[in-house]
Amino acid sequence: MAQPVGGSVAVVETLRNLEDARKLVLAKPELYTQIVIGVIPLIGAGAHLHLRRWGAEFLAEAFSHPLVSEQDKESMAMASLAILAQMVELPSEDGPVVKAAMQALSSIYPFIFKHTEAMVVDATLYSINLIIRKRPNLYHKIINAVLNFNPLHDASAGMPVGRKFQIKSMEKTTKAFLINMNKRNGHLPLAGRIQQYLERLAISHAEVYDESKKRAAAPDLLRDDEHVKRAKTVPSKGLNIPPLLPGPTTLAQLFKITSEEALTSFHVEQLPLDMIIKITLPVLYKIDQGLLNEAINGIRSRLLVLEKNQMPIAPAGVSGVDDEDDEYEPDFQPSEDNEQILNKLDSSTDRPRRPSDVAVVHFAIPKPVPLTPDEARHLGEERVRSLLEAATKPDNLSLGARRPKAGLHRLAGGNQGNDTWKTIVLRLISRNSVEGTTGSSLAGSEISSQKAGLTEFIRNALYSHVMDDFRSRMILAFDWLTEEWYNDRLRATSQDEPLVNYEFWALKVLNGIFQYVDGRDKALLIRFLSELPQVSEALLSRFKDLAKDPERVVPVVNALYYLVLFRPPNKQMALDALEDLWRNFEGAGSAAGKLLKRYRPQLFEEIKPISEEQVGSVAVV
């Protein structure tokens, strides 16, 4: 290496020592980590130019050396990142120094990115949840991108602890995001793919971490060949089923075959059903048939002991029976086979019954304390919220096949899916209308007012629930409005003044979605008008107001055109609405006029061009 011009003796000596260190690491690459950490204080921003040049070149060589392990490069990258950033960011830095520093940074980029990858993924998944809610048209693109991402792709059995936590963080965030998507959009086509992805992710997780445990235990098992041979000849240890304790025996004690008290300290019904399934299925798949048969025979032996101890007189014709038989404890290895034990149990039909120690007495449950109106309203509101959640959660019973629609006369309790809860909620709202209280007592008026207040609360709660995510819950809104319309028609036959709940809430739902609808929601507007059981003039008048926004003119005209084509009772009403758009709404004349020329051509015959004679007569006047 060339000597620095005008350099001091100390700089020359330092460069000579650094060159010796370079020769050492070229011969032994495993020493790069120690040398780099020791060199960094000598090549900082205040060092001599030739030291900075040497240091930048040395770091570039270290990170591009093929014999240095990735783990060593990662540790060196974290130690030298600050000094390399100084070399690049300093405006007056020497050109060769910047060039070598950039080469080093390009080599350590993958190692630095590993420490930010998990944070970027978590932040992205948290943000796209909101994007999907605001822009549902991007749902398929975003979900497909997430399904193509595998957080366990870089996972391995020997990965560092820090990397292990990062992968777990990405896996947890990805699972939470997809589970939330399935809860909110369980009816969409990608719900099945999301469920398959979650199952594959769970299998990959088990494979990665189970493999790490197996590899950790492998050196102890394969210590020498003699140990391996002994391990093959040693028989597997059987179950140690403890005998029953004297005294009364419960079912839990009868079937308990383990000595672990922690397994019997809680009730199994406290666990969610999906968790029980995930635990039980893998255990049943990997269970040893010999251990299972041994456990079954042990329980059968216990049953035989209990049956024998409950007999007041020893059976006749049995030899070798004395008083010591009462203390008999089985060895849990019955000599009979399974068929003989079952036959013996089946033949014991006349088993004596223990007399009951509790006398039969008359017992009456005290009446509960009456609820106050506020308590009743509060409890009713809580139940309403629970019913709304049950009505809109994903229905596991309907996966793979669609249920046939039974119409308005379907049974509300036909099954245990979300359709049952939805029908209960909607009929609780629509068919719970309060009649007039003429001639009734004051107490009856109070009950009616409380009943009306609860019904209106349920309606408002359902309306808010639909508006929170109206694109995915429009089917719920249509079912609700259909029930309201049906109830209004029924009440119209029995009352002089028919109810108008359907008209009021249909207008309110329409007003609620106005602020969200844009020019791309043609299909949504068409479906809104087509699914309503009845379209009134008031509703169409409000619907026309959408056309005041030029971007929504075409969807409004198309929705009205749908009524003209496929709903004959509303045809003339829809044509009147189109004519009103053509005459009075700026920007809607062109789109509405094309349809009116076909269905009402007389409108255009009334508008005739003014002749030259008429123009002259007007001028003379």
Side-chain angles (χ1 to χ4, degrees), residues 387-437:
L387 286 175
L388 288 177
E389 292 178 0
T392 56
K393 69 180 181 180
D395 190 357
N396 294 330
L397 297 177
S398 61
L399 293 178
R402 292 187 177 181
R403 292 193 179 97
K405 295 183 179 180
L408 292 171
H409 298 286
R410 65 188 182 277
L411 294 177
N415 54 64
Q416 295 299 321
N418 63 346
D419 185 66
T420 295
W421 295 110
K422 180 177 66 176
T423 306
I424 291 175
V425 172
L426 298 183
R427 293 184 178 175
L428 184 66
I429 295 172
S430 61
R431 306 190 186 182
N432 197 28
S433 301
V434 181
E435 300 180 2
T437 57

Side-chain angles (χ1 to χ4, degrees), residues 229-413:
K229 294 179 182 179
R230 288 200 303 269
K232 292 181 180 179
T233 57
V234 174
S236 60
K237 186 179 180 181
L239 291 176
N240 183 17
I241 303 178
L244 293 176
L245 298 176
T249 302
T250 63
L251 285 176
Q253 294 172 346
L254 175 63
F255 290 97
K256 178 184 175 184
I257 60 175
T258 178
S259 58
E260 293 289 338
E261 296 296 333
L263 296 177
T264 58
S265 61
F266 69 96
H267 203 289
V268 71
E269 291 185 354
Q270 297 177 357
L271 298 177
L273 180 60
D274 55 349
M275 182 181 295
I276 295 177
I277 293 175
K278 291 180 180 178
I279 294 175
T280 306
L281 291 181
V283 171
L284 292 178
Y285 179 74
K286 298 181 179 179
I287 196 169
D288 182 44
Q289 186 65 35
L291 295 178
L292 179 61
N293 294 334
E294 187 176 351
I296 294 174
N297 291 333
I299 300 301
R300 288 172 176 170
S301 300
R302 284 181 176 181
L303 290 172
L304 291 176
V305 172
L306 289 176
E307 180 186 1
K308 184 175 181 179
N309 290 337
Q310 290 175 2
M311 291 290 183
I313 301 175
V318 179
S319 61
V321 178
D322 52 24
D323 296 337
E324 296 180 357
D325 286 335
D326 294 337
E327 300 178 358
Y328 166 75
E329 294 182 358
D331 57 358
F332 303 106
Q333 293 181 357
S335 57
E336 301 92 342
D337 57 7
N338 296 343
E339 185 175 359
Q340 292 174 346
I341 295 176
L342 290 176
N343 293 335
K344 186 177 293 185
L345 287 176
D346 294 337
S347 62
S348 302
T349 56
D350 52 346
R351 301 173 185 173
R353 301 286 183 179
R354 289 185 178 180
S356 176
D357 298 334
V358 181
V360 178
V361 296
H362 178 71
F363 180 76
I365 300 177
K367 295 183 178 180
V369 180
L371 296 176
T372 63
D374 292 338
E375 292 175 344
R377 184 180 67 255
H378 176 72
L379 293 176
E381 292 173 358
E382 292 295 330
R383 293 307 304 156
V384 168
R385 295 188 183 94
S386 300
L387 286 175
L388 288 177
E389 292 178 0
T392 56
K393 69 180 181 180
D395 190 357
N396 294 330
L397 297 177
S398 61
L399 293 178
R402 292 187 177 181
R403 292 193 179 97
K405 295 183 179 180
L408 292 171
H409 298 286
R410 65 188 182 277
L411 294 177

